[in-house]
Amino acid sequence: MGFSQQILDIAAQAEKELAPAFAEFDRIAQVNTQRVLESFREHRVSDSMFGGTTGYGYGDFGRDAMDAIYADVFGAQAGFVRYGMVSGTHAISTVLFGLLRPNDIMLAVTGKPYDTLFEVIGEGKGNGDGSLADFGITYDDVALLPDGGIDFDGIAKKLEEHGARVKVVFIQRSKGYANRPTLSAKEIGEIVSFVKARCGAYVVVDNCYGEFCDEAEPTAYGADIIVGSLIKNPGGGIAQMGGYVCGTKRAVELVSYRLTTVGIGTECGATLGQTREICKGFFFAPHVVAQAKKTAAFASYMFEKLGFAVEPKYNEARHDIIQTVQFGNPEGLCAFCRGIQKGSPVDSFVVPEPWGMPGYADEVIMAAGTFTQGSSIEISADGPLRPPYTAYFQGGLTYESGKYAIMTAAESLLGEM
Ligand SMILES: *Cc1c(COP(=O)(O)O)cnc(C)c1O
């Protein structure tokens, strides 16, 4: 249990200065927990829903209730949550193929989407088989402004240029692997209004890492679709796989035809006993997200004091659970990730190495000492090995364990310096 005096001092100072930020995270968790519990009551959540179905899954009222609860809590008309979705990318891909048709255009308005979507779009390293491009769907984008703001003039120009061919306007809420600020649900609402005033495109939000960070989700501000992963925020560290899609009735229905098939949509799909985890995870999620935000703010304070550029700063608002720390060189990035791994509950003895993960353009180093493989609501850190060698750090099921991992990473880094 040997942390150096320097790290112990910064940690003590951090908790003093972070008290108001922590109180705000707790307040948001309270608001969201209340919304979840009221929806559970409204939909009569009961032990009988957790048994699960097999085969076609007809009449699975637990599944139907969870679909309705996700929609309600996220301020949407409709939605579905399915443990069978293998990742966030799978869920987002299902949305895109559900809404886009040949000759349509997908217009990303917050810069290039998350790395793993390049293959889906048909702009990855692969030959494009099965991608949107393979189906005659065109991709275009509007970059963020140099200060990270939304380029509304740029969006207006592209909408005018492409006209009615733009079927999906795509927004990524979180920074992903880009050096950019995260959008609040409210800022996304401003983009939605701007787009809706000019065209009839579906506004789709990649909501990964954003759920429960604000008091409402982008669907409450008019987005047609929000989509995300259950091994991030809304699974609460309990759900062991899965994804969700919420939005307008029409958009969710179209997407549901790609989830299963035309004519079936959300009406089939056995839950095999997974509904308890999905439900329990959603119950925990607002609280766990607050724990992750506390861990992130603590990390922001710690690494700023150690002399690194961090985003967001410890006293800035948080609209997702990601914290970035810029190390400027591969050694720093790797030392940080190894420290996080060492401070994790599972596989703490493992030393992470950079590798060329499927779906990513650069080598990536990942620390994931998690109970659920690859879960990033649990403490985890990763970063592509490219300048400026930024670590993207997120999660922490409990603030206490998150804080411990951050202090361990800080020690690991000091050892390298
Ligand atoms: C995590 C994430 C995804 C999906 O990633 P998966 O690993 O496929 O779950 C997509 N977009 C963003 C911004 C993400 O953070």
Side-chain angles (χ1 to χ4, degrees):
M1 276 301 289
F3 288 117
S4 64
Q5 199 55 47
Q6 184 189 2
I7 298 298
L8 290 170
D9 288 347
I10 300 175
Q13 192 60 32
E15 287 185 333
K16 251 189 230 155
E17 303 233 4
L18 286 167
F22 283 14
E24 173 63 6
F25 302 156
D26 287 339
R27 187 190 65 77
I28 293 172
Q30 183 68 45
V31 168
N32 285 322
T33 294
Q34 190 166 326
R35 188 175 298 125
V36 167
L37 286 174
E38 284 169 1
S39 185
F40 279 18
R41 187 195 305 141
E42 160 100 14
H43 294 283
R44 305 171 69 90
V45 166
S46 145
D47 188 60
S48 60
M49 292 176 170
F50 300 146
T53 48
T54 59
Y56 294 124
Y58 288 139
D60 190 323
F61 58 98
R63 179 196 64 212
D64 295 343
M66 281 318 300
D67 287 354
I69 287 165
Y70 256 71
D72 269 11
V73 169
F74 288 165
Q77 292 172 352
F80 57 81
V81 51
R82 289 293 180 281
Y83 84 92
M85 293 193 136
V86 306
S87 65
T89 304
H90 181 193
I92 297 166
S93 174
T94 306
V95 167
L96 295 174
F97 279 95
L99 297 178
L100 289 156
R101 301 289 179 269
N103 203 39
D104 283 347
I105 292 174
M106 166 188 175
L107 181 66
V109 296
T110 51
K112 300 227 177 292
Y114 192 70
D115 299 45
T116 57
L117 291 171
F118 289 9
E119 298 294 342
V120 175
I121 291 162
E123 300 217 333
K125 282 181 175 169
N127 65 5
D129 280 351
S131 67
L132 292 171
D134 202 20
F135 286 85
I137 295 154
T138 304
Y139 166 83
D140 198 0
D141 57 36
V142 180
L144 292 171
L145 294 169
D147 68 354
I150 303 295
D151 181 3
F152 284 102
D153 290 342
I155 297 172
K157 261 189 217 135
K158 289 281 185 190
L159 289 177
E160 208 163 291
E161 177 189 331
H162 294 309
R165 280 184 67 203
V166 178
K167 178 73 69 66
V168 164
V169 168
F170 189 83
I171 296 170
Q172 183 178 302
R173 180 172 178 180
S174 171
K175 59 175 61 68
Y177 280 155
N179 202 3
R180 53 157 272 207
T182 291
L183 298 169
S184 69
K186 216 167 160 185
E187 286 170 302
I188 290 173
E190 287 163 23
I191 308 177
V192 173
S193 307
F194 187 85
V195 169
K196 295 277 173 196
R198 284 166 178 78
C199 69
Y202 295 109
V203 179
V204 171
V205 180
D206 170 356
N207 206 32
C208 281
Y209 289 132
E211 298 90 353
F212 294 126
C213 286
D214 293 334
E215 285 180 52
E217 301 302 321
T219 21
Y221 293 94
D224 292 278
I225 289 282
I226 58 172
V227 49
S229 164
L230 297 201
I231 61 170
K232 295 178 178 174
N233 305 15
I238 305 284
Q240 296 180 58
M241 69 180 284
Y244 77 89
V245 175
C246 290
T248 60
K249 208 164 171 294
R250 174 69 180 156
V252 169
E253 183 183 358
L254 288 170
V255 174
S256 79
Y257 295 151
R258 280 294 160 271
L259 169 74
T260 60
T261 76
V262 180
I264 292 178
T266 56
E267 289 176 55
C268 279
T271 48
L272 306 174
Q274 297 299 311
T275 305
R276 189 188 309 274
E277 273 66 37
I278 288 178
C279 189
K280 191 174 171 185
F282 207 53
F283 164 80
F284 269 102
H287 175 74
V288 173
V289 167
Q291 302 297 293
K293 284 164 80 183
K294 287 180 185 181
T295 303
F298 179 82
S300 180
Y301 188 95
M302 171 73 66
F303 287 99
E304 186 178 286
K305 292 296 169 216
L306 291 174
F308 298 97
V310 294
E311 210 283 318
K313 305 252 188 239
Y314 71 90
N315 51 4
E316 281 177 327
R318 285 176 188 272
H319 305 293
D320 69 10
I321 63 168
I322 299 183
Q323 177 65 45
T324 66
V325 185
Q326 265 186 41
F327 292 100
N329 57 57
E331 294 77 24
L333 171 60
C334 291
F336 172 82
C337 289
R338 287 174 185 144
I340 292 290
Q341 184 80 31
K342 192 175 163 195
S344 297
V346 180
D347 291 330
S348 55
F349 52 90
V350 165
V351 180
E353 292 289 339
W355 67 300
M357 274 185 53
Y360 293 86
D362 295 281
E363 279 201 326
V364 178
I365 183 161
M366 294 204 161
T370 54
F371 293 99
T372 293
Q373 187 195 95
S375 166
S376 46
I377 185 63
E378 300 183 46
I379 201 139
S380 51
D382 41 72
L385 272 93
R386 64 183 179 224
Y389 299 98
T390 302
Y392 295 77
F393 162 83
Q394 65 274 314
L397 293 178
T398 66
Y399 167 63
E400 295 80 5
S401 63
K403 174 184 166 188
Y404 175 82
I406 292 300
M407 291 171 73
T408 307
E411 288 291 1
S412 158
L413 204 70
L414 289 184
E416 286 277 315
M417 288 195 320

